[in-house]
Amino acid sequence: MKFIRWVLAAIAVLGVVFVAGGLLLPSTTHVERSVVIERSPAQVFATLDSFERFNAWSPWAEYDPQATYTFEGPARGVGARMRWVGNRAVGSGSQEITASEPHRRIAVALDFDGSQAQASYLLAPEGQGTRVTWAFDSAHGFNPFKRWLGLLFDRMIGADYEKGLAKLKALLEQNPQD
């Protein structure tokens, strides 16, 4: 009987530590990666301001080649939306352009299976090219589990962002007309 009480007390203490510790963690997560692409901000912006070519450079397209995509709203700029349904690796969701400042910035609202986040692309001239910074921001509110999970986001999506930016760079630099 003492053993059972000890186990229950240990579980209760761990639960309190998990919840209290989670509430002490940051309520938001920010992940970003950047790359310099040897193309003008106008050329880079033209590709990012639309979802038409997203899968040509997306790091997730190869995770589920059978995923289905639908496009809604305008072809580019604010209101352009892409929805997808895929396997467990890519899930389902949507992304919609919510702000579009030509040659400078694009903001995107993300929905992953009901979880919302924001992404952005910042463009800045650098040398003869453009520095593209791809950022991800998520708010966790008072959810301790999401706050603990937020600690892993950089490791979870950082490598995918690097891969996507490398593919975007290759796509744009190999096609001079883009």
Side-chain angles (χ1 to χ4, degrees):
M1 193 62 139
K2 276 186 166 183
F3 178 74
I4 292 175
R5 277 193 235 164
W6 185 85
V7 168
L8 290 175
I11 290 171
V13 167
L14 287 174
V16 168
V17 168
F18 175 80
V19 171
L23 291 174
L24 295 174
L25 294 173
S27 63
T28 61
T29 298
H30 177 80
V31 176
E32 74 176 42
R33 297 294 191 271
S34 65
V35 68
V36 175
I37 298 175
E38 296 302 321
R39 292 290 176 258
S40 71
Q43 290 170 306
V44 176
F45 182 83
T47 298
L48 296 176
D49 196 40
S50 170
F51 295 117
E52 293 171 352
R53 296 178 69 192
F54 183 76
N55 285 331
W57 62 270
S58 166
W60 301 288
E62 65 193 45
Y63 294 164
D64 184 6
Q66 303 305 314
T68 58
Y69 299 89
T70 56
F71 302 90
E72 302 170 354
R76 62 181 52 260
V78 175
R81 177 183 286 225
M82 180 180 84
R83 294 182 186 276
W84 72 90
V85 176
N87 63 17
R88 191 166 189 242
V90 298
S92 63
S94 67
Q95 54 181 334
E96 179 178 350
I97 297 175
T98 57
S100 178
E101 299 171 28
H103 319 296
R104 295 185 55 218
R105 177 180 166 270
I106 300 163
V108 178
L110 304 171
D111 183 315
F112 299 103
D113 296 319
S115 294
Q116 280 73 43
Q118 298 292 318
S120 63
Y121 305 100
L122 302 176
L123 310 178
E126 186 167 314
Q128 297 298 312
T130 303
R131 176 164 295 280
V132 179
T133 301
W134 188 8
F136 172 89
D137 291 283
S138 180
H140 312 304
F142 290 104
N143 185 325
F145 177 75
K146 286 185 177 180
R147 288 182 180 205
W148 283 106
L149 189 60
L151 295 176
L152 303 175
F153 278 11
D154 194 74
R155 278 183 260 155
M156 288 170 46
I157 64 174
D160 285 336
Y161 272 33
E162 290 169 10
K163 183 177 184 180
L165 287 171
K167 289 176 75 174
L168 179 65
K169 176 181 176 72
L171 175 72
L172 292 175
E173 289 181 356
Q174 75 183 0
N175 296 314
Q177 70 277 8
D178 288 339

